[in-house]
Amino acid sequence: MKIIGIDDKEEKIKEKNRKKILITTFICIIILIFLVTICVYIANKPFREFIDKYVLMKNVVENNVASIPLEESENYAVYAYDKYISILKQNTLIGYNNSGKKEYELTVEITNPMVDINNRFLLIAEKEKQKIYLISGNSIIWEKELEGNISRVSVNKNGYVSVILTGTTHKSVIQVLDANGNTLFKTYLASSIAMDSDISYDNKYLSFAEISTNGTMVQSMIKTISIPKTQETASESISDSIISTITCPSNSTVLNLKYQDNNKLICMYDNKITSIQNEKEEEILSLEQAEQKIVFADMELSNFAFRILEKNVLLNTQSSVEFVNTTNKKTNIYTIDSVVKEVYTYDNCIALNLGSEVHFVGTNGWLNKKYISSHEIRKIVMNANFAGIIYRDRIEIIDL
């Protein structure tokens, strides 16, 4: 029998310790390299562009993706929602998946469409007419003929709909419908004009912006109605259901409203973007800038608002996209040495159309994808999963 001595045991222990040290050292080196790479990636733009292109494969080139053919002579409208890109032409809505395969075909009697998209819902109406459809997935959930002319539509992520109507005995009527198309209530504005409306994520509140033109001054107000309270009374008056009224500054005009998380209402004026919560209004972004030119601004994002500023740097134009968190006001910035021609938004991503190039940028300020084309890009549509780059003869589909 072989007897293992004390020296042999100590040698084995030392060997194990050496292996542990080597493994620990190797892991530390890998972590250090990773951290250094991240730091250089953040700080060094040329290095970041190299990694995006050759390592992360963020660049997508024209003609290397799935596409949907278009007839150049036809009049059509293109939308992206849920998991589809849909084309409306000649009263027919045709839906395609991200491979360019036709998935459905629906009869939609709309020639001059007005649209709102949220989550899996596509709300489509005939502008200044009466016809309206709510579509989810590949089916029409409901369709209606409303009393009045449709001037503005909105759908929340649960399928609840608000419609602003004109052409009645009142200046404006706001009609609210549930996800099944049942009318919950109507709000009648006799002496003011409704500019926009939106329903909260939990279906409990309707907020709308109205402009009163009585007297010598134009006065804007934002009112919020408790939807459950309207169900408790049979009266057509909703004055008892109004839980909040914000009187807007006389030098500001409300353009758009959008609910975000925690029933936070974001308001876009002609000169600022604000947040209203618990009957208090707070400015998020100024749209007046003395030093730089603000070319785009919006709040149609998930818990963010943004503005794009242009400035001249030597002989070039530099555009900076400022994303502002509407809860904590933290700002993320994406900078590009180019002029932004158009901007498209969906959820937590924006598409910057530079003419023959598109940058898809997240609200974290980082590039998600870059699309490079040899032709002028006409339009862009997006949903949560992919985008459609629209040319005269085709739509190219990019996975995001």
Side-chain angles (χ1 to χ4, degrees):
M1 176 183 291
K2 183 178 179 182
I3 299 175
I4 300 176
I6 294 175
D7 292 340
D8 293 332
K9 288 182 179 180
E10 290 179 349
E11 186 62 32
K12 287 187 176 182
I13 291 171
K14 289 180 180 178
E15 183 65 25
K16 286 182 180 180
N17 289 337
R18 281 195 292 268
K19 287 182 179 179
K20 286 182 181 179
I21 293 171
L22 287 173
I23 292 172
T24 302
T25 303
F26 178 76
I27 292 172
C28 289
I29 291 172
I30 294 298
I31 292 173
L32 182 61
I33 292 172
F34 177 77
L35 292 175
V36 169
T37 303
I38 292 295
C39 292
V40 176
Y41 180 85
I42 293 171
N44 190 289
K45 187 175 180 180
F47 179 76
R48 182 166 63 249
E49 291 175 348
F50 176 86
I51 294 296
D52 285 345
K53 182 176 181 179
Y54 295 106
V55 179
L56 301 179
M57 308 300 288
K58 291 185 178 182
N59 288 12
V60 178
V61 181
E62 176 190 8
N63 295 323
N64 286 343
V65 293
S67 65
I68 302 167
L70 295 173
E71 294 293 335
E72 292 188 46
S73 59
E74 292 184 347
N75 292 322
Y76 55 85
V78 182
Y79 310 106
Y81 75 101
D82 196 12
K83 55 183 180 181
Y84 303 104
I85 286 181
S86 299
I87 301 173
L88 177 64
K89 60 179 181 180
Q90 298 176 354
N91 293 333
T92 301
L93 186 71
I94 305 171
Y96 299 85
N97 62 22
N98 65 337
S99 299
K101 180 183 177 182
K102 180 178 174 181
E103 291 281 347
Y104 70 82
E105 186 171 317
L106 302 172
T107 299
V108 178
E109 297 176 359
I110 300 288
T111 56
N112 187 15
M114 175 182 291
V115 165
D116 191 36
I117 295 168
N118 200 330
N119 197 20
R120 59 189 177 91
F121 295 101
L122 168 65
L123 181 66
I124 183 167
E126 185 76 46
K127 188 175 182 180
E128 301 301 331
K129 300 291 183 182
Q130 294 76 42
K131 197 76 173 178
I132 186 169
Y133 296 81
L134 181 66
I135 297 167
S136 179
N138 58 5
S139 303
I140 296 174
I141 303 302
W142 54 261
E143 60 179 281
K144 283 186 176 292
E145 293 268 354
L146 302 182
E147 296 178 3
N149 300 324
I150 299 170
S151 66
R152 198 93 179 228
V153 296
S154 175
V155 60
N156 77 355
K157 66 177 185 178
N158 302 314
Y160 277 57
V161 170
S162 64
V163 184
I164 297 176
L165 301 162
T166 60
T168 68
T169 55
H170 295 80
K171 283 194 173 182
S172 294
V173 176
I174 304 173
Q175 185 168 344
V176 175
L177 305 97
D178 66 17
N180 297 315
N182 302 311
T183 297
L184 299 179
F185 67 93
K186 294 181 181 180
T187 300
Y188 300 91
L189 306 181
S191 58
S192 58
I193 299 170
M195 298 297 293
D196 195 21
S197 63
D198 200 30
I199 298 173
S200 62
Y201 285 7
D202 59 7
N203 311 325
K204 291 183 178 180
Y205 304 103
L206 166 75
S207 290
F208 63 93
E210 63 175 347
I211 293 181
S212 175
T213 55
N214 292 338
T216 57
M217 293 185 63
V218 176
Q219 182 64 63
S220 300
M221 288 187 291
I222 300 168
K223 295 181 178 179
T224 298
I225 295 173
S226 168
I227 294 177
K229 281 188 177 182
T230 65
Q231 311 304 296
E232 298 171 2
T233 174
S235 171
E236 289 190 349
S237 173
I238 50 84
S239 57
D240 293 337
S241 302
I242 297 175
I243 60 172
S244 171
T245 299
I246 300 291
T247 301
C248 306
S250 58
N251 63 339
S252 301
T253 302
V254 182
L255 303 177
N256 198 6
L257 301 177
K258 179 180 172 61
Y259 268 102
Q260 295 184 349
D261 286 346
N262 301 317
N263 290 330
K264 183 169 66 260
L265 181 66
I266 307 302
C267 310
M268 184 168 180
Y269 293 84
D270 55 352
N271 57 1
K272 61 182 177 179
I273 296 175
T274 68
S275 169
I276 297 176
Q277 196 168 27
N278 300 324
E279 300 185 44
K280 294 181 180 179
E281 186 171 23
E282 182 181 14
E283 183 171 315
I284 300 297
L285 265 178
S286 172
L287 303 184
E288 297 177 324
Q289 189 83 2
E291 298 83 9
Q292 299 182 52
K293 178 182 177 183
I294 299 175
V295 291
F296 294 101
D298 209 341
M299 25 69 88
E300 293 287 341
L301 290 166
S302 291
N303 301 311
F304 278 83
F306 76 91
R307 65 181 182 179
I308 300 179
L309 301 97
E310 279 186 5
K311 66 177 180 179
N312 294 321
V313 180
L314 298 177
L315 299 178
N316 296 321
T317 299
Q318 186 180 84
S319 299
S320 297
V321 187
E322 295 183 356
F323 298 97
V324 178
N325 188 301
T326 55
T327 300
N328 57 27
K329 290 190 177 182
K330 180 181 177 182
T331 300
N332 300 317
I333 298 176
Y334 179 80
T335 302
I336 184 172
D337 296 324
S338 183
V339 174
V340 178
K341 294 188 174 183
E342 290 178 304
V343 177
Y344 302 87
T345 65
Y346 188 87
D347 195 20
N348 60 358
C349 181
I350 70 170
L352 307 174
N353 184 359
L354 310 181
S356 59
E357 189 173 294
V358 182
H359 289 212
F360 296 94
V361 183
T363 52
N364 57 6
W366 293 107
L367 178 72
N368 293 339
K369 276 281 173 67
K370 181 191 293 186
Y371 176 84
I372 301 168
S373 173
S374 59
H375 300 84
E376 191 77 10
I377 295 165
R378 294 185 65 190
K379 189 180 175 183
I380 302 162
V381 293
M382 287 194 297
N383 60 23
N385 303 307
F386 54 88
I389 309 297
I390 303 172
Y391 296 95
R392 293 187 179 276
D393 60 344
R394 71 192 187 281
I395 303 170
E396 297 212 335
I397 303 170
I398 305 167
D399 288 329
L400 298 177

